[in-house]
Amino acid sequence: MCRHLAYLGPEEPLGRLLTEPPHGLYRQSWAPRRQRYGTVNADGFGVGWYAEDDPAPARYRRAGPIWADLSFADLARVVKSTAVLAAVRDATLAGADAEAAAAPYASGPWLFSHNGAVKSWPSSLAPLTASLPAAELLSMEARNDSAFVWALVLNRLRGGDEQGQALADTVLEVAEAAPGSRLNLLLTNGESIAATAWGDTLWYLRRPGTGTVVASEPYDDDPQWREVPDRTLLTASRTDVLLTPLKSLEPLKEPST
């Protein structure tokens, strides 16, 4: 399991989103408040962000716990961005991929994270390998379930799918192949966010003039945080949040106000 967060809005230091909030992602690495599976997220972390006039995001990832990285506090204090995706990791299975297994994964303008686990990995998803070009399988960043789910999403994005559609179709495909999987996915291209709630918690915070945050759990006690129902696709811009049931694909809420 993991905890993750994405942000779109006015330029902010990374620390204001990740380390300064009383229950931010930094603290969620050892004391999450709403995590349903696992208790400590100490198997790696990563943050991706976008610089002005550069569509390809930068990433900083490590294999160890975020609290053990003495350089991250300085980085988070001075690096600013209008779009961020970050995650802390609790590995489902032991592996040798080190920081390559830590989200966010990246390709082109996209950053991606998976909070959850694929049931009976890897045998359950073996049939889905036929849908991917061999080059994409061979170039996976890591040999875990999250990296494979990312490969499925990325294949759809490269085929022209919108972010939300790519996530929705991937979740339904994986859930059919591996029932009982937990598939909270998070994706951004620096201009919009798409996320799914499928088996674990997802929340969002939207305040006019201060941007949009989508996260596994609230990083403070602001009453404006809203929980996303399970089996839901969230799509967000800098001004709007839309929730769509993953089965019916009929909008639930909410237009901008």
Side-chain angles (χ1 to χ4, degrees):
M1 292 303 296
C2 306
R3 301 278 86 181
H4 55 203
L5 171 149
Y7 166 79
L8 293 175
E11 189 175 69
E12 292 279 7
L14 300 183
R16 195 164 296 168
L17 299 165
L18 306 178
T19 61
E20 294 179 15
H23 299 282
L25 208 62
Y26 185 87
R27 185 174 181 86
Q28 289 171 33
S29 63
W30 75 84
R33 294 191 292 175
R34 300 179 185 273
Q35 188 163 323
R36 294 175 181 170
Y37 302 90
T39 56
V40 177
N41 299 290
D43 296 317
F45 75 95
V47 56
W49 68 93
Y50 297 79
E52 187 176 0
D53 299 324
D54 190 342
R59 287 186 297 168
Y60 183 89
R61 299 186 296 166
R62 291 293 181 266
I66 191 171
W67 69 77
D69 189 318
L70 300 182
S71 297
F72 183 70
D74 278 346
L75 182 97
R77 178 173 53 84
V78 300
V79 173
K80 299 179 181 180
S81 183
T82 60
V84 176
L85 193 153
V88 290
R89 181 172 184 252
D90 176 18
T92 306
L93 298 172
D97 292 309
E99 71 181 49
Y105 300 99
S107 180
W110 297 296
L111 292 169
F112 172 85
S113 176
H114 169 211
N115 166 23
V118 172
K119 199 77 169 179
S120 301
W121 166 263
S123 58
S124 59
L125 298 194
L128 302 188
T129 60
S131 68
L132 293 175
E136 293 191 20
L137 286 171
L138 294 172
S139 61
M140 283 172 47
E141 288 191 66
R143 295 161 293 175
N144 60 11
D145 54 351
S146 297
F148 184 76
V149 171
W150 168 228
L152 294 172
V153 172
L154 184 57
N155 188 51
R156 288 186 163 93
L157 292 170
R158 288 172 172 165
D161 282 4
E162 296 294 330
Q163 291 189 151
Q165 193 66 54
L167 289 195
D169 288 348
T170 299
V171 164
L172 295 176
E173 180 182 38
V174 172
E176 182 178 5
S181 296
R182 302 188 299 276
L183 300 165
N184 280 35
L185 310 184
L186 185 59
L187 177 69
T188 185
N189 61 2
E191 297 296 332
S192 60
I193 296 169
T196 57
W198 190 283
D200 209 322
T201 58
L202 187 70
W203 294 70
Y204 71 92
L205 175 66
R206 183 176 59 81
R207 293 178 294 202
T210 62
T212 300
V213 179
V214 180
S216 297
E217 58 184 74
Y219 57 49
D220 60 20
D221 293 322
D222 190 322
Q224 295 187 73
W225 283 98
R226 296 290 181 266
E227 186 169 13
V228 178
D230 197 35
R231 302 293 197 271
T232 297
L233 169 71
L234 177 150
T235 54
S237 67
R238 297 180 189 275
T239 58
D240 300 305
V241 175
L242 181 68
L243 303 184
T244 304
L246 275 165
K247 292 297 187 183
S248 67
L249 297 181
E250 295 177 356
L252 281 176
K253 62 176 182 178
E254 86 175 8
S256 60
T257 57

